[in-house]
Structures are given as C-alpha cells and as structure tokens.
Amino acid sequence: MKHIKIFAPATVANVACGFDIFGFALNNPGDEILLRLKEKRGIVISKITGDKGMLPEEPEKNTAAVSVMALLDYIKSDKGFEIEIHKKMPLSSGLGSSAASAAGALFGANILLGKPLEVKELLPFAIESERVACGTGHADNVAPALLGGFVIIRSYNPLDIIKIPTLPELYCTVIHPSIEINTEYARSILKSEISLKDAVKQLGNVAGLVTGLFTGDYNLTGRSLEDVIIEPFRAKLIPGFYDVKKAALMSGALGCSISGSGPSIFALCSSGETAEKAGKAMKEVFNKIDIQSHVYISEINEEGPKIIES
Ligand code: HSE
C-alpha cells in the first residue's frame, strides 16, 4: 500500500497585534501524520498516539479526516486513506495542534494522489477543518502550518494570503503551562467592538511588525509585539501571565504575548542563547505558582510540512 509520513509544524497565531491575521510556523514541536492510500473511498483514523485528549477518531469530527475528505470531494476522487496521527504537541495549548494535523494530512494526501493541487490551493480545506474544530474558520494557524514561515491573512473573503520574510536570527521560546484553554471559549470572551483609540494603536503595531520583519529591524519588531485588543481579556485565563511576560522581557526577549488563544505564551528573541534564558525565567515563574510547564525553543520553520518517510 502506498504510504507517506509527514512532519507538520506547530504554529504561533496572532503574534500579539495580528488577531486572526498573523501566524508563523515552528520547527519544534510538530506532529507526525502517516497516510496510506486506499483504493476504496472513505477515511479511517487507524491510530492516534501522544496527547489524545478529546481528539475525535470519528472521521467527521477529526480535522485531518475532514480536510482530506473535502479535498477528495473537490477533486472528485474515489480513493480513500487510512490515517495515523502521532501528536507531539499538547491539545488546546495555543500551538495550533488541530491545524498541524490538518495541514500534514492534506500535504501528504495531495502527494499520494499525484499532486492534483498546489500546496497553497489546499488552504481552503484546512480552514474548513478549523471550523469543525473550534467553530470559526480562522486561518492564522493553518496557513503557516501549510506554507511555513510568517504568514499574513490580508483578506478572508476572498482569501488573500501573503508569506513575508522573517529575521535571520529569530528564535522563538514557547512555554506551555499545563492548563487547557478551549479556543471557542477564548473567542467568546472577546468584545465584538473596539474603540478607535485601540484600533489606532493596534494598526500602528501591525504596520511596525511587518516593517520590522521586512527591514531586519529587531528593535522595531520587538516593540511592535504589543496587543491592546485581545491580550487584556485572555491574560485573565492564564495564571501568572504578566509575570511570565515580564520575566521574558527582563531576559532580553524582543517581545512576548499569548500564542494563539493560549495558554501557551511565546517570546521572540534575537539569539538562541536569549531564547534559552527567557525560557528558564518564564518556567521559574510558573514553578513559583505550582503550575507545571514545558518549554520549546525553535527557529521559525520556513518550509512547512515535509516528508519524513515514504
Ligand atoms: N486567531 C485565533 C484566536 C487563533 O486567537 O482565536 C486560535 O489558535
């Protein structure tokens, strides 16, 4: 049976000021998805390992299966797949776990089907699976998970995705405290309207962050990592958040905010050494309040999903 195993990266969505429009991919952690092509139509999730949590094996509820089924329908294929999902990252962590599974499964399925679509064309199917996972079809996890790098969703309708360069020496520290935050809930606590004053501040940071990344200005990148719209509400869901952020900044991180809808917190740093230092300091804060945590240090993943076995 033809098979393929794919690495699919975790992602940091929002990136402070870019709620639902910014995201980047990480080299560590990432899921592994194994797909076997079948001549019979239909998807079977044959195995899930790692943090299974509430991960549904039913094909109609599982993001990997939903997205691949949508692809098969679109290209009118009568083939099917057996899918194994090896989770290497925690669920409901703010690291784009469901997005990674969908992106990896789509990427692998497209190859086994003889590449009927370009990778970028797989995005709508991944967005659809996000809708199944958390009620909204936001793309700031699935787009970087599928394309790699730092991605901007300029428009959802019509879909307009831009991949921009990042800084050569950019390292990301992510700390995952052992609490779970459901994305649907983390979205429900947000205000649907914002003040003009906050919009002006946020837009300034959005423009500053993009300019900083394009021009290689670490300082500008760092001071643009500020979120006056979403972070104040979601910080309340993460015990010790402001102390963790302070610890990261005191260690020399360029900036720090909530990864996606949390509870993970990310800090961008201009060297691996600073990223390690920030990770230790952030963990120390969670230790003090008796919350277990796990630190990941990673460069930005530029490649997106990749074949690790075929
Ligand atoms: N932009 C989404 C949110 C990302 O913040 O709700 C969820 O991971």
Side-chain angles (χ1 to χ4, degrees), residues 180-236:
E180 279 190 22
I181 295 182
N182 174 277
T183 299
E184 208 166 348
Y185 174 70
R187 293 180 79 87
S188 73
I189 61 166
L190 303 176
K191 282 197 295 185
S192 58
E193 288 180 3
I194 58 168
S195 70
L196 185 59
K197 188 169 149 261
D198 284 350
V200 169
K201 184 102 184 120
Q202 199 88 347
L203 285 169
N205 283 321
V206 164
L209 181 52
V210 174
T211 307
L213 292 172
F214 258 105
T215 59
D217 188 332
Y218 288 87
N219 194 290
L220 174 59
T221 301
R223 64 180 191 273
S224 304
L225 289 171
E226 182 191 28
D227 173 11
V228 296
I229 294 175
I230 308 296
E231 189 183 280
F233 292 95
R234 289 183 170 170
K236 294 174 193 152

Side-chain angles (χ1 to χ4, degrees), residues 13-14 19-20 138 140-141 183 187 234 260-261:
N14 299 337
F19 178 68
D20 279 358
H138 58 271
D140 49 342
N141 288 114
T183 299
R187 293 180 79 87
R234 289 183 170 170
S261 55

Side-chain angles (χ1 to χ4, degrees), residues 9-144:
T11 43
V12 170
N14 299 337
V15 199
C17 52
F19 178 68
D20 279 358
I21 63 160
F22 287 164
F24 61 82
L26 298 169
N27 283 329
N28 172 43
D31 282 350
E32 288 174 14
I33 317 289
L34 179 82
L35 296 103
R36 292 187 189 91
L37 185 66
K38 298 188 308 173
E39 291 309 316
K40 204 169 134 240
R41 202 175 144 76
I43 311 276
V44 178
I45 304 288
S46 55
K47 198 188 233 181
I48 302 179
T49 65
D51 185 0
K52 292 188 205 182
M54 299 290 285
L55 201 65
E57 290 186 20
E58 300 100 303
E60 66 279 6
K61 291 189 195 144
N62 182 287
T63 58
V66 167
S67 52
V68 173
M69 202 60 222
L71 168 65
L72 289 171
D73 285 345
Y74 181 79
I75 61 166
K76 299 190 172 50
S77 168
D78 52 10
K79 304 244 188 285
F81 289 96
E82 203 181 286
I83 304 178
E84 286 183 17
I85 302 173
H86 302 284
K87 299 300 302 176
K88 307 278 175 181
M89 65 180 102
L91 293 173
S92 303
S93 60
L95 288 168
S97 171
S98 55
S101 296
L106 276 170
F107 183 82
N110 192 48
I111 295 173
L112 288 182
L113 291 165
K115 296 197 185 160
L117 298 183
E118 299 279 326
V119 174
K120 201 171 178 175
E121 291 174 319
L122 299 172
L123 197 49
F125 312 116
I127 293 176
E128 202 38 51
S129 74
E130 209 61 322
R131 206 181 303 281
V132 171
C134 60
T136 54
H138 58 271
D140 49 342
N141 288 114
V142 281

